[in-house]
Amino acid sequence: MIGPASSPLVSTRSLRHTWPGSSAALVLGDLELAPGERLFLGGPSGSGKSTVLGLLSGVLAPTDGDVRILGMSFASMAARARDRFRANHLGYIFQQFNLLPFLTPVENVLLGCAWSAERSRRAGATRSLMTSEATRLLGALGLGQRTWSHARTGELSVGQQQRVAAARALIGGPELLLADEPTSALDAASRDAFLTLLLDECARHGTGVVFVSHDLALARHFDRGVTLDGDPRDSRES
Ligand SMILES: Nc1ncnc2c1ncn2[C@@H]1O[C@H](COP(=O)(O)OP(=O)(O)O)[C@@H](O)[C@H]1O
Ligand SMILES: [Mg+2]
């Protein structure tokens, strides 16, 4: 299903997106990430960071240009194949986490494998091994053992929910993690500590990262940084 082993993790060509009704364009152009590479994508609010993650995950179709993940172009896939590809190869941490509040943390983490035979297999294949991997991940990301299988996720603090969301995105070792400002609710010390744990866990599975934040101080944790300039409404069309 994926392209040749030598394919870049991410490659975009002449990528450009315009929202309907807007004359401004988000221009990302050509971007290439090697397997396991970690990219920081910065820029102020409204500069198009979430839009870029939508394009890289194939949720949004670009106005112009092409996105390839592991050598596969979203444009060449039917909707169902795109969903399957995303479930198998991409982990996503949403800014608002999108966790199911009435489930336990472990149940939420296991959802990361629910639509992917590939990630289920890599997480251990049986329910009990996958549960062990979920608890290992929650522990590695700094969530205390007391909360793993008892608390309702909706009752946890923002910082705890963030760890659950990260574990759900990482279970089964997806090749690419897309993270949309997951640390914006934390103070600086917790932010750096969490980011260190998150990136250690990515390194364990060779997971590449595109991490979005308006906080440029976080860029030093990453291999490389790209900054979107400002409100795309102000940028000239090319
Ligand atoms: N669904 C949408 N429809 C129309 N315009 C949108 C939509 N989503 C975002 N935009 C516009 O695109 C620009 C970039 O938004 P976004 O990608 O959310 O930026 P960021 O994540 O950097 O804050 C903003 O001007 C925003 O208003
Ligand atoms: Mg955003």
Side-chain angles (χ1 to χ4, degrees):
M1 171 90 194
I2 61 176
S6 58
S7 295
L9 174 59
V10 174
S11 85
T12 73
R13 189 156 314 156
S14 310
L15 194 65
R16 182 176 166 283
H17 190 70
T18 313
W19 286 104
S22 164
S23 61
L26 168 71
V27 180
L28 195 66
D30 299 349
L31 175 75
E32 196 165 301
L33 245 72
E37 197 173 359
R38 299 113 175 269
L39 176 78
F40 177 85
L41 181 65
S45 177
S47 59
K49 303 181 300 296
S50 295
T51 301
V52 170
L53 294 187
L55 295 169
L56 295 183
S57 59
V59 170
L60 274 177
T63 317
D64 293 297
D66 186 36
V67 175
R68 283 171 188 268
I69 306 292
L70 299 165
M72 295 290 294
S73 166
F74 284 122
S76 70
M77 297 180 213
R80 184 180 282 205
R82 243 190 328 259
D83 289 345
R84 197 177 325 119
F85 185 85
R86 210 181 284 128
N88 281 331
H89 304 293
L90 265 59
Y92 205 113
I93 308 178
F94 298 91
Q95 187 165 9
Q96 304 301 334
F97 309 144
N98 294 7
L99 298 165
L100 296 186
F102 295 105
L103 299 186
T104 67
V106 166
E107 288 166 338
N108 267 291
V109 175
L110 290 175
L111 289 176
C113 294
W115 291 277
S116 169
E118 215 160 304
R119 283 176 65 183
S120 297
R121 184 178 48 72
R122 289 202 295 249
T126 66
R127 176 87 185 178
S128 94
L129 287 174
M130 283 159 59
T131 300
S132 304
E133 173 60 4
T135 55
R136 186 198 67 75
L137 263 167
L138 287 169
L141 291 167
L143 192 70
Q145 186 165 1
R146 268 188 314 128
T147 48
W148 288 348
S149 51
H150 303 299
R152 291 179 172 190
T153 301
E155 291 164 354
L156 302 181
S157 72
V158 171
Q160 290 173 320
Q161 291 193 33
Q162 170 192 59
R163 290 159 210 275
V164 179
R168 182 183 60 182
L170 287 177
I171 192 163
E175 286 90 338
L176 177 60
L177 172 70
L178 300 175
D180 197 350
E181 311 229 26
T183 58
S184 51
L186 301 183
D187 61 68
S190 324
R191 203 151 50 214
D192 280 322
F194 170 72
L195 204 45
T196 302
L197 295 178
L198 179 73
L199 292 175
D200 283 352
E201 203 46 51
C202 290
R204 186 183 171 106
H205 296 285
T207 296
V209 182
V210 177
F211 184 98
V212 156
S213 176
H214 63 273
D215 184 357
L216 299 183
L218 300 179
R220 64 192 168 78
H221 290 276
F222 295 81
D223 300 324
R224 206 141 65 84
V226 169
T227 307
L228 301 176
D229 286 323
D231 190 331
R233 282 172 295 194
D234 299 334
S235 66
R236 273 188 307 139
E237 288 219 58
S238 48

